[in-house]
Amino acid sequence: MGNVTQDAWDAHYGEGRSFRPLDDAELTLLRERVPAPRGGGHALDVGCGLGDLARHLAATGYTVDAIDYAASALRTAEQTPSASGTVKFARCDIEKDPLDGLRSSYDLIAFRLSYAFIGDRTRVMHRLRERLSPGGAIVVITPVVEGVPADRRAIALDEEEIALLSAGWHTVERRDAEGLAFLVLRDPAAGPVAYRGKGRPSPHALTGAGVVVTDEAGRVLLGRSRRGTWELPGGKNDGVESFVEAAVRELEEETGLRAKEADARLLAILMDAVHGIPRVTAAVRVVDFSGKPAVREPDLIHRWEWHDVADLPALGAALFTPSAHVLDVVWPGVLPGLPPVHRYPLA
């Protein structure tokens, strides 16, 4: 999941290492906040590791599907008997594998010490909350950056990430579990998408390109900006650089993805204004590329995620306005209520 390879996870568990065990604070909160429904319920443990949480949930009345993509963890988990209840362990990469093997409905979906390792968090959460039973809950138990050393912040969530996670729910409870954030999310809220800019630019006309690139499943790449927006790869063109040249260069500089100019299509020129300054954006579609997304400019972008197009109206945070206009060129009508723009389609 995310930036940690399957081989690394297999080695982690194969060497006998694990993570922080369940403690009394977590057990108390699980018992109080998400008890099993009367007569039993179904739970999904995502990133189950050695299965401690899964076995506990089974003992309290849940029938549990426990998934992980580290085979070594699952082998150990399956060899550890449950005190009571039913646990089914299965190998699954929650970001890449089809979810056909999961139930259509769960009363509880839990991420314990695993959510921070997921790269495409927004998309994964959209797909899982579609499987949440009415009245059910998603529980995320995670370290927070204030409580871990600076060199281990990749295992934790900061307050912005917690706010983004919470934005898609009507009911959010947050408790402390001996230094861990214990989040209980209920009643999904598919609120309207918002649009906003990123502050006043330098006082001159702005020209640049927004780049639409999709993976083999048709998902579009968006970056989580340090300014709190989702945005496409792209940026200003330098000197006499064409929009296509700028698109190909910016794509590689920002994400590491490499494309040829012959595989970039200029679809439209868009013009609006920001703080009274004309802004011209070229909508460029890249139809072929090599490489995998990586954060190349960490002072501008937190991370890159692949998003299902159908999820664009409910990202949980604002979408950078020029990126929204470019996306509307490729997928007209997907985004509702766009701000005004002059559009000049190209043959």
Side-chain angles (χ1 to χ4, degrees), residues 144 146 158-159 162-163 172-176 181-184:
V144 293
E146 293 82 1
D158 60 21
E159 292 303 315
I162 291 175
V172 178
E173 296 180 75
R174 179 173 177 176
R175 299 289 186 272
D176 177 73
F182 188 103
L183 299 166
V184 183

Side-chain angles (χ1 to χ4, degrees), residues 38-318:
R38 184 173 298 177
H42 295 102
L44 175 66
D45 182 3
V46 181
C48 66
L50 301 181
D52 292 347
L53 176 61
R55 286 186 289 271
H56 168 75
L57 292 175
T60 63
Y62 285 103
T63 297
V64 183
D65 293 333
I67 60 174
D68 203 293
Y69 85 165
S72 59
L74 295 173
R75 284 194 295 269
T76 302
E78 289 171 336
Q79 293 168 3
T80 305
S82 300
S84 62
T86 301
V87 180
K88 176 185 174 183
F89 291 100
R91 188 191 173 282
C92 177
D93 184 337
I94 195 66
E95 292 187 70
K96 297 180 180 178
D97 291 342
L99 303 184
D100 301 343
L102 301 182
R103 296 177 183 272
S104 60
S105 180
Y106 289 97
D107 302 288
L108 172 63
I109 299 174
F111 296 81
R112 182 179 185 270
L113 310 183
S114 60
Y115 190 76
F117 294 101
I118 295 174
D120 294 351
R121 298 169 191 167
T122 310
R123 174 174 58 84
V124 167
M125 188 59 73
H126 272 290
R127 296 292 76 80
L128 288 181
R129 72 185 194 179
E130 292 170 350
R131 296 173 182 266
L132 196 62
S133 301
I138 290 183
V139 169
V140 177
I141 306 172
T142 179
V144 293
V145 293
E146 293 82 1
V148 299
D151 61 350
R152 301 192 67 210
R153 289 192 173 182
I155 73 169
L157 299 184
D158 60 21
E159 292 303 315
E160 182 184 357
E161 284 295 326
I162 291 175
L164 181 63
L165 169 62
S166 303
W169 304 87
H170 286 296
T171 303
V172 178
E173 296 180 75
R174 179 173 177 176
R175 299 289 186 272
D176 177 73
E178 297 295 334
L180 298 176
F182 188 103
L183 299 166
V184 183
L185 313 173
R186 302 182 190 271
D187 303 322
V193 64
Y195 310 101
R196 67 179 175 91
K198 298 187 292 185
R200 183 177 177 85
S202 300
H204 62 271
L206 301 174
T207 63
V211 187
V212 173
V213 59
T214 52
D215 66 6
E216 65 276 7
R219 300 167 183 141
V220 63
L221 187 66
L222 294 177
R224 181 69 180 153
S225 166
R226 292 281 178 185
R227 298 184 181 182
T229 59
W230 291 108
E231 61 186 75
L232 292 167
K236 300 173 185 175
N237 41 343
D238 293 334
V240 297
E241 190 178 45
S242 73
F243 286 125
V244 167
E245 290 168 340
V248 170
R249 174 183 55 77
E250 289 282 353
L251 180 66
E252 182 170 1
E253 288 180 359
E254 291 187 344
T255 73
L257 300 181
R258 295 176 297 281
K260 300 176 181 177
E261 291 179 26
D263 293 321
R265 309 283 189 264
L266 181 57
L267 303 183
I269 301 297
L270 307 165
M271 188 178 71
D272 63 353
V274 56
H275 296 281
I277 300 171
R279 177 171 56 188
V280 177
T281 305
V284 178
R285 179 78 163 96
V286 168
V287 297
D288 194 19
F289 65 92
S290 61
K292 294 183 178 180
V295 175
R296 302 286 292 274
E297 297 177 344
D299 57 324
L300 300 177
I301 296 291
H302 281 293
R303 67 178 187 277
W304 295 99
E305 290 191 22
W306 297 105
H307 292 257
D308 288 325
V309 173
D311 293 339
L312 293 177
L315 291 173

Side-chain angles (χ1 to χ4, degrees), residues 328 331-336:
D328 190 62
W331 295 289
V334 167
L335 291 167

Side-chain angles (χ1 to χ4, degrees), residues 12-33:
H12 175 91
Y13 290 110
E15 293 166 3
R17 292 183 287 166
S18 183
F19 289 98
R20 168 176 170 165
L22 275 168
D23 60 26
D24 290 341
E26 292 175 81
L27 296 175
T28 298
L29 287 169
L30 288 166
R31 181 175 64 251
E32 293 178 349
R33 302 299 171 186

